[in-house]
Amino acid sequence: MLARSAARWSNKLRAPAPRPCFRLARPPSRRFSMPAAGSTSGSPPMSSAGMLAPFVGELDRIAPSFNINGAQIQVLQSPAEFYETLKHKIRNAERRIFLSTLYIGKSEKELILTLQETLRAKPKLRLSILTDALRGTREAPNPSCASLLAPLIAEFGPDRVEIRMYHTPNLTGLRKRYIPSRINEGWGLQHMKLYGVDDEIILSGANLSSDYFTNRQDRYHLFSSKDVTEYFSNLQDAISSLSFLVRPSESAAGFELVWPEDNAAPSPLEDPKQFVKESTSLLAGLISAKTAPLTAHDAIPAEKRDTKVYMLAQFSQLLSPDTSTELPAVTHILKTLSLPRYANSSWTFTAGYFNPAPSLTQLLLSTQSHNNTVITASPFANGFYKSPGVSGLLPDAYTLLARRFVRAVHQHQREASTVLREWRRGTVGKPGGWTYHAKGLWVTLPGHSDPSISLIGSSNYTKRSYSLDLEANALIVTENEALRRRLGEEQRWLLEHSSVVTRDDFARADRRVGFKVRIAMMIVQLLGGAL
């Protein structure tokens, strides 16, 4: 169903639909105008469109985009709201359900039952699921994500249900043989979180397991846009054609992974170099601003299209040369904020696993913005808190990285404008304890109280995200006041359970990081992996 030959995909990429322009409710000749070089401080305040112009101009060259109305984006708040919305959409599906996630929890029987009941009630409905092969099979032959999903294929057949599992080309040979499970995931994962039903899609950083449905805070945006949904459906389609197919089996594991002949490339385990070469041919045109196959299905009048959504992808491990779009887009936004005219802007950056790529740290600290906030998980809200084995070292590793960031803030003399806040709601593993997994960026323009720019999706903004994992994100640039308010509310409720952490806090004895944590981080880096 989703498998595509390289030739078929390349034909699709050659004929992109015309791209509508970014229309705002003002005369086109004045759109995004910038002040002349000789403008003085006594000049009238620049319009919102004028302030957005430097962002949009370059972003249009970086990534494909769609113009929609801000009302087409709903911001969900809690894990429970995310789960109930997802189940509601699934129950009302008519044509298709496509889910792309790192994994589906092996005990998610309610979610599977919801899918089964909907498929039984609607014979024309099709289901496509894409997960990661390492994460999805690591418990086998014990119950796993793969064994949970295989019965869906047995009941409804491969024409209606297709389960794909992506395997990184970076883990082959001796690495594949000797690096243990859980640790081997540091060499690259299918990390996209795309939850599409018919012509709507939820973009999130959340996976599909019970903690993400109950007590793990993330972000969730529902896009009611045919165009945005179709684009990400095509993206999942393409990665699926580069992935293993799950089939039911009589083996103890209950499934088998096979590499279909009509996949767009050879298996990454058999010929990783050719796999990357074919992947590049398939994906480069799909994510390019010039060649991406864009649809024009949304029936929104041009004068009401006040929001631009850029489709960002980070597929570094599959592209040679790397033409990924997320890192260039984020880099451009932060570089633009370093211009003097944005001195009264502000930004909020969040990542549950705090390890921003070094280039991003430098850019964050080089902006002219003030009242900037970084939100990350407290060690007591880290998903690996008191985890058994080597993964139990991760909370301390992220504490060390957060301490280094606070030190860099001090060294750049940015303490008056930039703070680090740790999010904590109880303690992991105890009654009422939550974990924190939210990630994203918000930018508020000078003179505004709510963001006009926001980034939502799967990326953790780490070296690993920008070199090893597959990430999909949407960058929202909006003039819609109601959407800006919703984005501002999202910022504020994430701040509710956070508190500022200073250099003095990190100097306390209970925040010191042991030598074995530092050694473990060095070993992972030496072997080519990343946190």
Side-chain angles (χ1 to χ4, degrees):
M1 178 170 65
L2 288 179
R4 300 284 195 270
S5 69
R8 185 174 180 185
W9 267 96
S10 99
N11 287 338
K12 184 173 183 180
L13 295 176
R14 288 192 190 108
R19 296 178 61 201
C21 62
F22 188 18
R23 298 188 181 275
L24 303 173
R26 53 179 47 80
S29 61
R30 300 181 62 186
R31 198 177 306 142
F32 299 136
S33 59
M34 300 302 296
S39 294
T40 67
S41 59
S43 300
M46 194 181 302
S47 68
S48 175
M51 293 299 290
L52 289 172
F55 297 100
V56 171
E58 180 62 22
L59 288 170
D60 284 342
R61 289 184 281 272
I62 293 174
S65 62
F66 293 102
N67 304 311
I68 66 174
N69 182 268
Q72 292 175 266
I73 303 176
Q74 180 183 352
V75 181
L76 309 180
Q77 180 173 352
S78 67
E81 186 181 10
F82 163 58
Y83 189 36
E84 292 306 315
T85 300
L86 179 62
K87 289 189 294 181
H88 173 76
K89 298 298 180 184
I90 289 172
R91 292 188 185 107
N92 288 278
E94 296 294 337
R95 296 181 293 106
R96 65 177 178 183
I97 301 170
F98 64 95
L99 309 174
S100 179
T101 187
L102 175 59
Y103 67 98
I104 297 178
K106 59 188 177 182
S107 61
E108 294 311 308
K109 293 182 172 56
E110 182 184 36
L111 178 61
I112 299 303
L113 180 60
T114 303
L115 291 168
Q116 285 177 318
E117 291 175 345
T118 306
L119 286 164
R120 288 167 184 163
K122 299 172 181 179
K124 294 184 179 180
L125 180 65
R126 292 186 173 188
L127 170 66
S128 308
I129 298 178
L130 171 67
T131 72
D132 182 76
L134 296 174
R135 178 62 64 90
T137 64
R138 73 182 183 188
E139 297 94 348
N142 295 321
S144 65
C145 171
S147 63
L148 177 76
L149 296 174
L152 291 173
I153 308 165
E155 178 175 356
F156 300 103
D159 291 335
R160 293 190 63 201
V161 175
E162 183 174 78
I163 312 299
R164 292 278 184 157
M165 290 195 166
Y166 172 85
H167 192 291
T168 175
N170 295 328
L171 190 73
T172 60
L174 294 178
R175 284 179 179 173
K176 175 72 174 176
R177 180 177 299 180
Y178 293 112
I179 296 176
S181 60
R182 294 178 69 92
I183 301 300
N184 63 11
E185 295 170 14
W187 277 259
L189 297 169
Q190 191 308 105
H191 201 246
M192 300 187 298
K193 318 297 168 64
L194 309 171
Y195 306 126
V197 177
D198 292 338
D199 295 323
E200 294 183 301
I201 186 168
I202 299 173
L203 265 65
S204 179
N207 294 303
L208 301 180
S209 64
S210 58
D211 51 346
Y212 288 96
F213 301 152
T214 54
N215 60 0
R216 190 165 211 189
Q217 184 65 57
D218 214 299
R219 297 177 65 212
Y220 333 86
H221 286 193
L222 171 61
F223 293 78
S224 298
S225 164
K226 294 181 180 180
D227 292 325
V228 172
T229 304
E230 188 64 23
Y231 180 87
F232 283 117
S233 174
N234 288 337
L235 204 64
Q236 177 171 322
D237 235 6
I239 301 300
S240 292
S241 74
L242 300 167
S243 301
F244 285 92
L245 182 67
V246 178
R247 287 180 180 169
S249 168
E250 296 298 326
S251 66
F255 69 91
E256 61 178 350
L257 298 182
V258 298
W259 192 262
E261 291 183 0
D262 61 351
N263 267 9
S267 166
L269 299 181
E270 295 180 1
D271 193 345
K273 289 184 178 179
Q274 188 64 24
F275 174 80
V276 172
K277 182 178 179 180
E278 298 293 343
S279 298
T280 301
S281 298
L282 173 63
L283 296 171
L286 183 59
I287 67 174
S288 166
K290 294 181 179 179
T291 60
L294 303 181
T295 57
H297 296 319
D298 284 353
I300 303 295
E303 65 273 12
K304 292 187 178 181
R305 294 181 181 238
D306 53 20
T307 300
K308 196 158 193 171
V309 182
Y310 291 91
M311 313 287 106
L312 302 182
Q314 196 69 32
F315 293 159
S316 298
Q317 64 170 275
L318 294 179
L319 297 169
S320 182
D322 187 2
T323 55
S324 297
T325 55
E326 183 206 317
L327 181 57
V330 177
T331 298
H332 167 63
I333 290 170
L334 296 178
K335 281 187 174 180
T336 303
L337 291 176
S338 69
L339 300 175
R341 65 175 64 100
Y342 295 102
N344 292 320
S345 66
S346 65
W347 52 257
T348 296
F349 174 82
T350 187
Y353 302 135
F354 188 72
N355 183 20
S359 64
L360 291 191
T361 297
Q362 185 66 36
L363 288 166
L364 287 169
L365 298 179
S366 298
T367 66
Q368 294 286 322
S369 309
H370 287 76
N371 297 320
N372 308 315
T373 303
V374 172
I375 311 172
T376 191
S378 158
F380 301 98
N382 188 293
F384 294 100
Y385 179 70
K386 291 194 174 180
S387 177
V390 177
S391 60
L393 300 176
L394 288 172
D396 280 348
Y398 290 117
T399 293
L400 177 61
L401 294 165
R403 186 175 77 184
R404 289 175 179 172
F405 177 80
V406 171
R407 184 174 63 197
V409 170
H410 172 72
Q411 291 171 343
H412 284 72
Q413 299 180 339
R414 300 286 292 170
E415 288 170 306
S417 63
T418 303
V419 298
L420 175 74
R421 302 179 70 98
E422 285 186 343
W423 190 97
R424 181 180 181 182
R425 187 172 177 179
T427 300
V428 178
K430 294 185 178 180
W434 284 46
T435 55
Y436 185 77
H437 196 249
K439 46 273 195 107
L441 175 69
W442 299 259
V443 175
T444 300
L445 298 177
H448 288 198
S449 57
D450 292 312
S452 294
I453 298 174
S454 185
L455 184 59
I456 176 75
S458 63
S459 179
N460 287 313
Y461 312 109
T462 63
K463 177 182 176 182
R464 173 172 166 173
S465 296
Y466 295 138
S467 59
L468 297 171
D469 290 345
L470 304 187
E471 310 285 7
N473 304 273
L475 176 63
I476 301 165
V477 181
T478 186
E479 287 202 293
N480 185 289
E481 291 185 9
L483 176 56
R484 289 205 307 253
R485 284 196 298 271
R486 292 195 294 275
L487 294 172
E489 290 167 358
E490 181 184 38
Q491 277 184 297
R492 288 186 282 276
W493 72 57
L494 289 177
L495 286 169
E496 286 180 2
H497 297 282
S498 71
S499 56
V500 174
V501 183
T502 66
R503 287 191 303 146
D504 290 340
D505 294 317
F506 282 117
R508 297 198 318 260
D510 62 329
R511 301 302 298 266
R512 291 176 184 168
V513 175
F515 189 65
K516 63 181 180 180
V517 173
R518 300 169 190 263
I519 293 296
M521 293 171 67
M522 291 174 58
I523 291 173
V524 170
Q525 291 175 350
L526 288 172
L527 292 175
L531 293 180

